[in-house]
Amino acid sequence: MNDYIFFMHDDVPDGRRRPVDEWEAYFASLRAVGAFLGGSAIGDGMCISKAGATAPVTRHLGGYIRVRAADLAAARELVVGNPVYEAGGTVEIRELPRTT
Protein backbone atom coordinates (compact mmCIF):
# COMPACT_ATOMS: atom_id res chain seq x y z
CA MET A 1 0.00 0.00 0.00
CA ASN A 2 1.12 3.54 -0.73
CA ASP A 3 0.18 6.90 0.74
CA TYR A 4 -1.17 9.63 -1.52
CA ILE A 5 -2.16 13.22 -1.05
CA PHE A 6 -5.09 14.83 -2.83
CA PHE A 7 -4.80 18.58 -3.33
CA MET A 8 -8.16 20.23 -3.90
CA HIS A 9 -7.89 23.22 -6.22
CA ASP A 10 -10.06 26.31 -5.80
CA ASP A 11 -11.49 26.02 -9.31
CA VAL A 12 -15.04 24.76 -8.79
CA PRO A 13 -17.03 26.35 -11.64
CA ASP A 14 -19.61 28.03 -9.42
CA GLY A 15 -16.84 29.25 -7.09
CA ARG A 16 -18.66 28.19 -3.93
CA ARG A 17 -17.30 26.06 -1.12
CA ARG A 18 -18.92 22.65 -0.96
CA PRO A 19 -21.48 22.01 1.82
CA VAL A 20 -20.26 20.30 5.00
CA ASP A 21 -22.62 17.34 4.53
CA GLU A 22 -20.97 16.53 1.17
CA TRP A 23 -17.56 16.43 2.87
CA GLU A 24 -18.86 14.33 5.78
CA ALA A 25 -20.32 11.75 3.37
CA TYR A 26 -17.08 11.64 1.37
CA PHE A 27 -14.88 11.24 4.47
CA ALA A 28 -17.21 8.49 5.73
CA SER A 29 -16.81 6.62 2.43
CA LEU A 30 -13.00 6.85 2.67
CA ARG A 31 -13.08 5.67 6.30
CA ALA A 32 -15.36 2.77 5.38
CA VAL A 33 -12.70 1.32 3.06
CA GLY A 34 -9.82 2.13 5.43
CA ALA A 35 -8.25 4.70 3.09
CA PHE A 36 -8.60 7.95 5.08
CA LEU A 37 -5.41 9.17 6.79
CA GLY A 38 -6.38 12.79 7.45
CA GLY A 39 -6.66 16.15 5.78
CA SER A 40 -7.46 19.80 6.23
CA ALA A 41 -8.37 23.04 4.58
CA ILE A 42 -5.35 25.19 3.69
CA GLY A 43 -5.21 28.79 4.87
CA ASP A 44 -3.00 31.74 3.96
CA GLY A 45 0.75 31.44 4.32
CA MET A 46 4.03 32.56 2.81
CA CYS A 47 6.91 31.28 0.71
CA ILE A 48 10.37 31.78 2.15
CA SER A 49 13.89 31.19 0.87
CA LYS A 50 17.28 31.78 2.38
CA ALA A 51 18.36 33.03 -1.06
CA GLY A 52 16.01 36.03 -0.97
CA ALA A 53 13.03 36.79 -3.21
CA THR A 54 10.48 34.02 -3.65
CA ALA A 55 7.34 33.41 -5.65
CA PRO A 56 4.00 34.31 -4.07
CA VAL A 57 1.96 31.67 -2.27
CA THR A 58 -0.03 29.48 -4.62
CA ARG A 59 -3.63 30.59 -4.13
CA HIS A 60 -5.31 27.83 -6.13
CA LEU A 61 -5.05 25.16 -3.41
CA GLY A 62 -7.91 24.96 -0.94
CA GLY A 63 -7.19 21.80 1.02
CA TYR A 64 -5.68 18.33 1.11
CA ILE A 65 -6.58 14.77 2.04
CA ARG A 66 -4.16 11.93 2.77
CA VAL A 67 -5.24 8.46 1.69
CA ARG A 68 -3.78 4.97 1.46
CA ALA A 69 -4.24 2.96 -1.73
CA ALA A 70 -2.63 0.04 -3.55
CA ASP A 71 -1.43 2.19 -6.46
CA LEU A 72 -2.14 5.39 -8.39
CA ALA A 73 -5.09 3.84 -10.23
CA ALA A 74 -6.69 2.82 -6.92
CA ALA A 75 -6.03 6.31 -5.49
CA ARG A 76 -7.76 7.82 -8.53
CA GLU A 77 -10.83 5.68 -7.81
CA LEU A 78 -10.97 7.20 -4.30
CA VAL A 79 -11.52 10.65 -5.81
CA VAL A 80 -15.03 9.65 -6.89
CA GLY A 81 -17.41 11.34 -4.46
CA ASN A 82 -14.96 14.12 -3.59
CA PRO A 83 -17.10 17.28 -3.46
CA VAL A 84 -14.60 19.38 -5.43
CA TYR A 85 -14.26 16.72 -8.13
CA GLU A 86 -18.01 16.09 -8.31
CA ALA A 87 -18.65 19.85 -8.70
CA GLY A 88 -16.30 19.99 -11.71
CA GLY A 89 -13.17 21.19 -9.90
CA THR A 90 -9.66 19.76 -9.95
CA VAL A 91 -8.19 17.24 -7.53
CA GLU A 92 -4.44 16.73 -7.90
CA ILE A 93 -3.12 13.32 -6.79
CA ARG A 94 0.48 12.92 -5.63
CA GLU A 95 2.21 9.86 -4.23
CA LEU A 96 4.00 10.44 -0.95
CA PRO A 97 7.46 8.85 -0.80
CA ARG A 98 8.08 6.19 1.78
CA THR A 99 10.38 7.13 4.60
CA THR A 100 12.71 4.65 6.22
Side-chain angles (χ1 to χ4, degrees), residues 15-73:
R16 291 182 293 141
R17 297 251 183 240
R18 307 319 304 161
V20 172
D21 61 327
E22 288 182 19
W23 286 107
E24 288 173 351
Y26 179 60
F27 293 147
S29 71
L30 293 176
R31 284 185 185 100
V33 296
F36 185 76
L37 298 176
S40 179
I42 297 174
D44 288 333
M46 68 173 72
C47 292
I48 60 171
S49 171
K50 207 170 192 178
T54 62
V57 171
T58 302
R59 299 273 182 222
H60 71 273
L61 296 177
Y64 73 93
I65 299 170
R66 284 190 59 199
V67 298
R68 181 159 292 146
D71 54 29
L72 187 57

